Amino acid sequence: MTRPLPFGAGPAADRADLADVMRKVAHGDKQAFSVLYDSLAPLVFGIVLKVVRDRSQSEEVAQEVMIDLWRQAARYRPDAGSVTTWAATIAHRRAVDRVRSAQAASDREQAQASREHTTAFDEVAEQVETRLESEQVRRCMRGLTELQRQAVTLAYYQGLTYREVAETLRTPLPTVKTRMRDGLVRLRDCMGVTT
């Protein structure tokens, strides 16, 4: 087994040493990545845990960050900042992305649940309301003239057209139309319907 190359004083390697390590990682040096991992994994995990607040998810995100550091090592520019700062920035962004993704999923689930949720149907109340409305219609129908009542009944309960109502009642079509209009106005007023 080969010994790792000396990159400084262990996990607390200084900025210059980590920059050198990153250059080696960028060229695919697995041993250099092992040193980088040992140096940065605790920092990365700590940052992610502060944002995500769930240990198992934080472990996943920290692993993703470390893989990103391996894959993106060639993109690191020492003049833009230290390796530690670069890794911390990637870790924070990944953690925020995970939190946002989890929140969006939760919001979608809640929206779906609210769309599927229907209020309980109160069958008894519905039946009572229907009976009351039916009784009110019957009472209001009794207030119409005989021709109005017959015309409205034929049109609305039997589905006849104006012409068919006129033929059934043997009454001129204009008279049927007038009586139905007047009857419907009286029904509306009796039922308390506002237009």
Side-chain angles (χ1 to χ4, degrees), residues 58-104:
S58 296
E59 289 171 357
E60 286 178 28
V61 174
Q63 287 300 320
E64 291 169 5
V65 170
M66 295 310 296
I67 291 169
D68 278 353
L69 292 176
W70 169 260
R71 291 180 179 159
Q72 297 180 28
R75 297 174 74 191
Y76 170 69
R77 299 288 174 252
D79 55 328
S82 70
V83 173
T84 305
T85 302
W86 188 59
T89 302
I90 293 173
H92 186 264
R93 287 180 183 161
R94 276 291 192 132
V96 169
D97 287 347
R98 176 63 65 100
V99 170
R100 286 180 179 158
S101 175
Q103 184 62 49

Side-chain angles (χ1 to χ4, degrees), residues 120-135:
F121 178 71
D122 189 348
E123 190 174 325
V124 174
E126 183 70 23
Q127 288 176 356
V128 168
E129 189 174 325
T130 301
R131 285 184 185 153
L132 290 173
E133 288 173 356
S134 296
E135 180 55 39

Side-chain angles (χ1 to χ4, degrees):
M1 181 166 129
T2 58
R3 289 182 51 203
L5 298 172
F7 292 109
D14 63 12
R15 178 181 173 147
D17 285 345
L18 281 179
D20 186 44
V21 169
M22 279 305 282
R23 276 190 293 281
K24 290 179 181 185
V25 170
H27 292 288
D29 186 332
K30 292 179 182 176
Q31 214 171 26
F33 181 70
S34 178
V35 171
L36 183 73
Y37 189 96
D38 291 343
S39 298
L40 297 178
L43 170 76
V44 166
F45 179 72
I47 292 169
V48 171
L49 184 60
K50 283 182 181 178
V51 175
V52 176
R53 299 191 186 275
D54 176 80
R55 189 166 191 82
S56 64
Q57 283 193 32
S58 296
E59 289 171 357
E60 286 178 28
V61 174
Q63 287 300 320
E64 291 169 5
V65 170
M66 295 310 296
I67 291 169
D68 278 353
L69 292 176
W70 169 260
R71 291 180 179 159
Q72 297 180 28
R75 297 174 74 191
Y76 170 69
R77 299 288 174 252
D79 55 328
S82 70
V83 173
T84 305
T85 302
W86 188 59
T89 302
I90 293 173
H92 186 264
R93 287 180 183 161
R94 276 291 192 132
V96 169
D97 287 347
R98 176 63 65 100
V99 170
R100 286 180 179 158
S101 175
Q103 184 62 49
S106 175
D107 292 347
R108 281 191 303 274
E109 288 173 8
Q110 286 180 346
Q112 180 66 27
S114 67
R115 283 191 299 269
E116 292 174 355
H117 176 74
T118 56
T119 54
F121 178 71
D122 189 348
E123 190 174 325
V124 174
E126 183 70 23
Q127 288 176 356
V128 168
E129 189 174 325
T130 301
R131 285 184 185 153
L132 290 173
E133 288 173 356
S134 296
E135 180 55 39
Q136 186 178 12
V137 169
R138 281 192 291 275
R139 182 178 47 78
C140 291
M141 288 287 283
R142 286 192 296 267
L144 301 179
T145 67
E146 185 62 28
L147 184 59
Q148 288 173 336
R149 186 172 39 259
Q150 287 176 338
V152 169
T153 301
L154 289 171
Y156 288 94
Y157 292 110
Q158 294 183 14
L160 300 181
T161 64
Y162 283 126
R163 185 170 306 285
E164 292 170 333
V165 170
E167 290 170 2
T168 303
L169 296 177
R170 294 189 178 107
T171 306
L173 182 59
T175 303
V176 167
K177 287 182 177 180
T178 301
R179 297 299 180 259
M180 282 185 66
R181 186 193 70 230
D182 294 344
L184 291 174
V185 168
R186 288 178 77 180
L187 279 175
R188 181 193 68 204
D189 292 343
C190 179
M191 300 282 295
V193 177
T194 58
T195 54

